[in-house]
Amino acid sequence: MNQQLINTVKSEFIKTFNSNPLMVFSPGRINLIGEHTDYNNGFVFPAAIDKGIVAAISKSNSEKSTIIALSTNERFEFSVNNIAPLENGSWQNYILGVISEIQKTEKQLDNFNLIFSGDIPIGAGLSSSAALENSVVFALNELFSLGFTKKEMIFISQKAEHNYVGVKCGIMDQYASMFGKKGTVFLLDCESLEAKTVILNLQDYCLLLINTNVKHSLAESAYNERRKVCENAALKLGLSSLREVSLNGLQSIKESLSESEYQKALYVIQENSRVLEAFEAVKQNDISKLGELLFASHNGLQNQYKVSCEELDFLVEFAKNSNAVIGARMMGGGFGGCTINIIKRNQIEEFKKAIAKQYKQRFNNKCSFYKVNLSNGTSLLN
Ligand code: GLA
């Protein structure tokens, strides 16, 4: 955990509000495999990481709440008794959304002061938004003794995103961020929310994230549009999600789908099986099998589900042609953000140099690298 970040947020809070805050850390996440399967009630294979959001909070004892986003030095004031989504809001809407969802329950909230900052880049596909939502719901739960379970809290975070941000996201990000366990990956069944855990032992390999440093603007509308395509395909079979649809079932409605809709639904069914295979591979320490599955997943995301982009494809293609990497794919919602790579430990530096040079040449842009450790989920820091 980033002790310097914690100290900065805490001292800034004391300086600004003259009171001792409650401190919360909420992590971002990676996902080994299982992309765009969560909102289809399918399987995902995520883990929380040691980068995330640090939040400091206390009661305000006044008619207003003040929130400060430290990294951009933005200040936002409002009353919890009168909230609505901001038209051009960004982080503000994640927080207001959480408040609104809490208020839909019978629990009572008062005004509060909050300062937050983080060390996950926004828009990199590492779920800075879920980390922020979870940090806020968790902090409010502690501060006002609301008595929510972790499971209730992740649904509050998810609905905040649906209703205040407008992204109809699945439950993977909020789950991984809230329930993370050091060194551990979760095979999560997004229908039952049951998870099997496994320690990730990559032997001579490790995980390397490469950020394209781009986020194409169609990401949010395309996300919701993909979700609709999947729901419609399931509906044609009278089923509630693609999770329940078999390859044969899909075949039987092929005529009623466009080729592109068919490929998207097919991708989801195939990706679900890849997640289950990946879980077995990790259990058996079969790292090269895991790597193959990552490449196959990217291929599906690029060519069937069509949520990749030139920059992501370039990074994955480069990785595929390098003998340092045995598996790589785009991670998260797509249209930018990071790739996740399984890379030989002793070849990292050489690989980074080579790929950075080529990326710069091709896109006239820098790519960034993150090494992450798998961490515990959302928790109190004091
Ligand atoms: C985003 C969403 C998740 C999930 C991924 C794609 O991160 O928030 O719910 O759908 O995209 O797998």
Side-chain angles (χ1 to χ4, degrees):
M1 216 176 286
N2 188 335
Q3 195 56 48
Q4 200 187 335
L5 181 66
I6 298 170
N7 295 345
T8 310
V9 172
K10 187 168 180 178
S11 61
E12 199 58 35
F13 191 96
I14 295 172
K15 207 166 78 193
T16 314
F17 297 111
N18 214 2
S19 73
N20 229 349
L22 208 105
M23 300 289 301
V24 171
F25 171 72
S26 189
R29 63 103 189 90
I30 55 157
N31 184 25
L32 280 184
I33 192 164
E35 223 61 87
H36 290 272
T37 44
D38 61 350
Y39 54 80
N40 288 301
N41 281 349
F43 298 100
V44 290
F45 204 14
I49 55 175
D50 55 352
K51 295 186 190 305
I53 298 280
V54 172
I57 194 168
S58 75
K59 294 185 184 174
S60 92
N61 302 318
S62 81
E63 299 299 301
K64 69 166 200 229
S65 295
T66 301
I67 302 187
I68 295 173
L70 207 53
S71 43
T72 50
N73 217 359
E74 290 169 280
R75 190 184 179 104
F76 174 50
E77 291 179 357
F78 64 98
S79 161
V80 292
N81 298 319
N82 183 18
I83 62 160
L86 298 191
E87 218 170 277
N88 293 314
S90 55
W91 55 267
Q92 295 90 340
N93 282 339
Y94 294 97
I95 297 173
L96 292 170
V98 165
I99 296 169
S100 158
E101 293 306 322
I102 293 176
Q103 289 174 336
K104 287 182 187 165
T105 70
E106 80 286 5
K107 317 269 178 166
Q108 291 292 319
L109 276 182
D110 278 326
N111 282 304
F112 61 91
N113 296 320
L114 184 136
I115 294 190
F116 73 93
S117 188
D119 57 358
I120 17 177
I122 312 273
L126 300 178
S127 290
S128 53
S129 45
L132 178 59
E133 293 147 10
N134 279 355
S135 72
V136 173
V137 68
F138 193 91
L140 291 172
N141 189 51
E142 285 292 325
L143 191 67
F144 295 108
S145 305
L146 302 178
F148 289 120
T149 62
K150 281 190 159 190
K151 199 165 158 181
E152 287 168 328
M153 287 192 265
I154 63 173
F155 285 118
I156 288 174
S157 292
Q158 182 196 30
K159 287 197 208 108
E161 199 150 336
H162 286 192
N163 297 328
Y164 262 58
V165 182
V167 179
K168 302 287 179 198
C169 64
I171 198 67
M172 166 172 73
D173 303 348
Q174 291 80 4
Y175 182 95
S177 165
M178 185 66 79
F179 288 95
K181 225 171 131 198
K182 197 168 181 202
T184 302
V185 198
F186 291 87
L187 170 67
L188 176 66
D189 179 334
C190 297
E191 187 164 53
S192 64
L193 227 62
E194 272 164 25
K196 291 182 187 156
T197 57
V198 60
I199 302 273
L200 186 64
N201 172 11
L202 292 177
Q203 299 146 38
D204 295 340
Y205 290 85
C206 66
L207 297 177
L208 177 70
L209 306 179
I210 311 179
N211 193 351
T212 57
N213 289 318
V214 296
K215 185 82 198 163
H216 296 295
S217 58
L218 71 172
E220 284 172 10
S221 55
Y223 186 93
N224 292 343
E225 186 267 332
R226 295 296 183 283
R227 182 169 181 149
K228 226 181 213 115
V229 167
C230 294
E231 285 168 354
N232 283 342
L235 213 61
K236 288 200 165 142
L237 285 160
L239 297 169
S240 62
S241 74
L242 281 180
R243 159 69 176 275
E244 297 161 74
V245 176
S246 64
L247 280 176
N248 282 341
L250 182 63
Q251 212 56 38
S252 73
I253 53 162
K254 191 172 179 189
E255 303 290 278
S256 70
L257 300 172
S258 68
E259 179 59 22
S260 130
E261 289 167 337
Y262 170 76
Q263 285 302 332
K264 290 186 173 82
L266 179 63
Y267 158 81
V268 172
I269 295 172
Q270 292 170 335
E271 181 80 346
N272 271 329
S273 337
R274 280 191 287 265
V275 179
L276 299 177
E277 280 184 72
F279 178 64
E280 288 308 315
V282 171
K283 274 206 314 201
Q284 285 156 24
N285 287 327
D286 188 348
I287 310 302
S288 59
K289 176 72 192 174
L290 178 66
E292 275 168 35
L293 291 163
L294 260 64
F295 282 133
S297 168
H298 185 81
N299 187 44
L301 288 158
Q302 177 185 359
N303 299 311
Q304 295 171 273
Y305 213 64
K306 298 198 188 294
V307 287
S308 187
C309 63
E310 254 191 292
E311 292 87 348
L312 288 165
D313 294 340
F314 178 87
L315 292 179
V316 171
E317 199 52 39
F318 189 93
K320 206 181 249 173
N321 292 325
S322 148
N323 60 13
V325 177
I326 52 166
R329 61 177 202 86
M330 57 151 273
M331 193 178 74
F335 304 105
C338 286
T339 62
I340 180 168
N341 300 262
I342 304 179
I343 183 167
K344 267 239 171 76
R345 285 177 200 279
N346 59 9
Q347 293 186 37
I348 290 192
E349 290 315 315
E350 207 181 313
F351 174 80
K352 273 165 55 174
K353 233 188 242 161
I355 199 167
K357 187 170 167 211
Q358 294 294 322
Y359 189 78
K360 173 93 191 122
Q361 253 172 31
R362 174 77 175 73
F363 298 105
N364 195 24
N365 192 6
K366 240 179 77 155
C367 59
S368 321
F369 303 96
Y370 315 113
K371 265 201 75 188
V372 289
N373 297 306
L374 308 191
S375 95
N376 286 327
T378 309
S379 58
L380 268 185
L381 289 169
N382 47 3

